[in-house]
Amino acid sequence: MTTTADVLVIGGGGSGMSAAISAATSGATVILLEKCPKVGGSTAMSVGSFTAANTSYQYRAGVNDSIELFVADMKVANGQFEERENKELRRVLAENAGPTVEWLSSIGVQFLGPTPEPPYEKPRMHNVLPNSSAYASALLGECRKRGVDVRTSMRVDRLLRNAAGEIIGTRANGTDFFGRRGVILATGDYSASIEMKAEFVGNAAAKIPPVNPNSTGDGLKLGNDVGGIMVQMDRLYEGLRFAPSKRPDPIKILPSHPLLSTAMRLVVERLPKNLLAYVIRGALTSWVGPNNTMYQAGAILVGHSGERIANEDSDKLMARAAAADEKNTAYMIFDERVARKFSAWPNPVSTFPGVAYAYVDDYKRYRPDVYHRAQTIEELATSIGVTSSVLKSTVEEWNADVATGVDSRFGRQHLGDGVSEGPFYALGPMNAYITLADGGLAVDTQLRVTQANGEAIPGLWAAGSTGQGGLQLLNHGLHIGWAMVSGRLAGRNVAHAPKRLDLEATENVPVN
């Protein structure tokens, strides 16, 4: 089997497969190396929304959008982080997201949308059907159609350079692979690297497990070892999620096939909105933790001991506190007043914006394993498996703090109305997870990996989270958008790069 191609792609998630297809359709031969037994990466594990402007979905829905409005809304979503934004890459994303949705549609990916996504002015969120595995299925099928040599269970451990200092290939499983025109790093983020989380964020964050255990920052290390710089490495998405349901998920169990996706789109576009929301609530209560607004109304978070564990104003602090305990378990406790408030619009417990909203009774219906209701705090403690005297003392202390207006334990600012009106409720167990990390290699607008002086490293490109380059991506659907957009652009650019004549490796650069 050949180990040399025009383009070598490392990583088989959404960005890597998009890069491989783009390079192949630009006339290049392509080898893709994926360390896991199957492709898909974090893309196949995501909710799957793709935020984009100027799509045919928007046109059919009568939405008049523009690139300038899209950029303006991203500025609003960034808030205090706007000063950190890589504005050149944001423009690349805004201009190419719409065409990339159309491209995905052309290879069999179907979307529901566009749906609203506050604080955006225009509906831009396109939700993949039937689930995010549709990306992996369609992209892998297109890779095979375009002749991409996809090899799984191939862990890359070093980059190869020639005498001129150009990146010419990699070593994986003891074999050297070469890319005559270039190498693309598309291995995802570092959310599963305990060492990198500890180094860049801290030991408390390092203890939080990742959603994707394979996101170990391999591409970041590879790029950094040959002179690339890592930026925005302090940004992790830390939060609480409900423990996985033992019931089959009606959305995730659906097989991914273009014909099924097309049929689903035609059906759901014609379903009454209230019926569609009802269908999706089962999945919604499985995937998403409760909104922070419940804590602002008076709910508290307790650990398996029955004591409060963190300042509930902060997702990060709650996640770190839960993960600090070996059981990584927490429960939200609230009373009848909060339950009433979060039983109807405009106060959902959890939400897919513009698509479906889940309320307290939906958890009783769809997730009885995480729904607890009792007439007394002592009975509620028994239901969730904590010591009744401890939980009672915790609630009494909290109610006393609410009465004085000061959280004596953690300094929480939004106290709400306390936990005093029965019956009483708990949602949980919940576990702490890191959904993703926003750090990535610095890249230019051609997706070439750059050094500290701004010069591109010859022969090396990066896409997706590996090449995020300082983008903020602070609203739903932007990470998937950047994965596909950057992958397509990187693949095209490498395919058009000049061939290197010297493919003899003179320097092996190991991963740290």
Side-chain angles (χ1 to χ4, degrees):
M1 297 176 67
T2 180
T3 57
T4 301
D6 293 327
V7 178
L8 185 61
V9 180
I10 306 174
S15 59
M17 287 194 285
S18 294
I21 296 164
S22 181
T25 53
S26 297
T29 57
V30 184
I31 295 174
L32 184 149
L33 304 177
E34 165 57 47
K35 73 176 181 180
C36 297
K38 64 179 182 179
V39 297
S42 295
T43 296
M45 302 172 69
S46 67
V47 171
S49 15
F50 191 131
T51 296
N54 291 350
T55 68
S56 60
Y57 290 87
Q58 284 185 312
Y59 179 77
R60 288 195 297 269
V63 177
N64 188 1
D65 204 356
S66 74
I67 301 303
E68 295 305 324
L69 288 173
F70 191 10
V71 170
D73 279 348
M74 281 193 273
K75 290 180 181 178
V76 173
N78 281 349
Q80 63 178 333
F81 293 102
E82 174 62 18
E83 63 183 27
R84 300 177 58 168
E85 180 68 279
N86 186 321
K87 297 177 177 59
E88 290 183 324
L89 292 184
R90 176 169 64 194
R91 172 63 62 168
V92 170
L93 171 60
E95 291 179 348
N96 290 278
T100 299
V101 165
E102 304 305 322
W103 171 71
L104 287 166
S105 296
S106 76
I107 65 172
V109 180
Q110 298 292 326
F111 298 93
L112 167 66
T115 56
E117 171 63 355
Y120 289 163
E121 177 186 345
K122 301 286 186 178
R124 296 193 186 94
M125 194 163 70
H126 301 69
N127 299 286
V128 68
L129 294 170
N131 52 56
S132 58
S133 66
Y135 288 122
S137 177
L139 290 169
L140 179 59
E142 193 69 10
C143 280
R144 290 170 173 161
K145 177 180 177 182
R146 301 297 178 178
V148 175
D149 183 357
V150 177
R151 305 192 190 190
T152 55
S153 299
M154 299 293 293
R155 188 184 186 100
V156 171
D157 55 22
R158 63 188 66 204
L159 292 173
L160 306 176
R161 288 194 281 206
N162 62 17
E166 300 169 314
I167 304 301
I168 57 171
T170 64
R171 176 165 292 174
N173 294 8
T175 300
D176 290 348
F177 293 86
F178 298 97
R180 284 181 288 260
R181 298 185 185 273
V183 176
I184 301 173
L185 299 173
T187 63
D189 63 38
Y190 71 96
S191 56
S193 171
I194 295 174
E195 296 79 10
M196 295 179 79
K197 287 185 289 188
E199 177 182 357
F200 294 110
V201 185
N203 290 327
K207 295 178 181 179
I208 304 177
V211 170
N212 183 356
N214 299 307
S215 294
T216 50
D218 299 355
L220 299 176
K221 299 172 188 175
L222 289 167
N224 185 241
D225 282 339
V226 296
I229 61 171
M230 296 182 285
V231 296
Q232 198 166 278
M233 296 295 287
D234 60 327
R235 285 267 303 279
L236 295 173
Y237 285 66
E238 307 165 53
L240 295 171
R241 289 187 169 197
F242 289 112
S245 174
K246 295 181 181 179
R247 291 182 171 186
D249 189 313
I251 301 298
K252 287 190 174 182
I253 63 174
L254 288 172
S256 296
H257 188 281
L259 292 178
L260 173 63
S261 298
T262 301
M264 282 194 68
R265 180 177 65 82
L266 294 175
V267 169
V268 299
E269 285 183 345
R270 289 161 175 78
L271 280 178
K273 287 188 176 181
N274 58 344
L275 180 57
L276 175 61
Y278 179 84
V279 171
I280 295 177
R281 280 175 187 165
L284 178 56
T285 51
S286 297
W287 298 349
V288 185
N291 290 332
N292 276 358
T293 49
M294 294 188 71
Y295 296 109
Q296 294 174 16
I300 58 175
L301 185 76
V302 303
H304 76 276
S305 68
E307 297 180 331
R308 281 181 66 215
I309 58 176
N311 181 337
E312 293 93 344
D313 287 334
S314 168
D315 283 331
K316 176 175 68 177
L317 294 177
M318 288 191 291
R320 292 180 180 184
D325 187 280
E326 62 180 11
K327 292 189 176 182
N328 188 9
T329 300
Y331 296 86
M332 173 189 276
I333 308 296
F334 55 99
D335 69 359
E336 178 65 18
R337 285 176 298 190
V338 173
R340 283 198 304 267
K341 182 174 182 179
F342 289 85
S343 292
W345 179 259
N347 297 301
V349 175
S350 49
T351 176
F352 286 157
V355 183
Y357 304 89
Y359 302 98
V360 171
D361 282 347
D362 292 314
Y363 282 86
K364 179 181 179 181
R365 179 182 301 112
Y366 296 109
R367 290 299 307 269
D369 55 318
V370 301
Y371 173 89
H372 308 267
R373 181 179 183 273
Q375 293 300 316
T376 67
I377 292 295
E378 291 87 348
E379 291 173 352
L380 186 67
T382 300
S383 180
I384 65 176
V386 305
T387 303
S388 59
S389 61
V390 174
L391 184 61
K392 182 179 180 182
S393 176
T394 296
V395 171
E396 289 175 348
E397 179 183 338
W398 173 245
N399 289 335
D401 284 351
V402 170
T404 63
V406 177
D407 175 8
S408 60
R409 177 163 293 196
F410 297 111
R412 172 173 155 183
Q413 297 300 304
H414 302 92
L415 306 185
D417 296 323
V419 183
S420 58
E421 181 182 317
F424 301 96
Y425 300 78
L427 291 178
M430 293 184 284
N431 311 122
Y433 286 102
I434 292 177
T435 308
L436 51 85
D438 268 338
L441 293 170
V443 296
D444 61 18
T445 55
Q446 297 181 54
L447 284 307
R448 299 178 299 181
V449 177
T450 57
Q451 305 171 78
N453 61 7
E455 292 185 8
I457 298 173
L460 189 62
W461 283 255
S465 295
T466 311
Q468 191 164 323
L471 276 169
Q472 303 307 296
L473 307 180
L474 283 174
N475 218 355
H476 292 302
L478 295 179
H479 286 90
I480 289 287
W482 178 245
M484 307 298 182
V485 165
S486 60
R488 291 186 73 208
L489 294 177
R492 183 188 311 153
N493 291 336
V494 181
H496 291 151
K499 289 185 179 181
R500 273 82 56 79
L501 300 177
D502 181 6
L503 292 182
E504 182 176 351
T506 61
E507 180 182 355
N508 292 332
V509 184
V511 176
N512 288 330

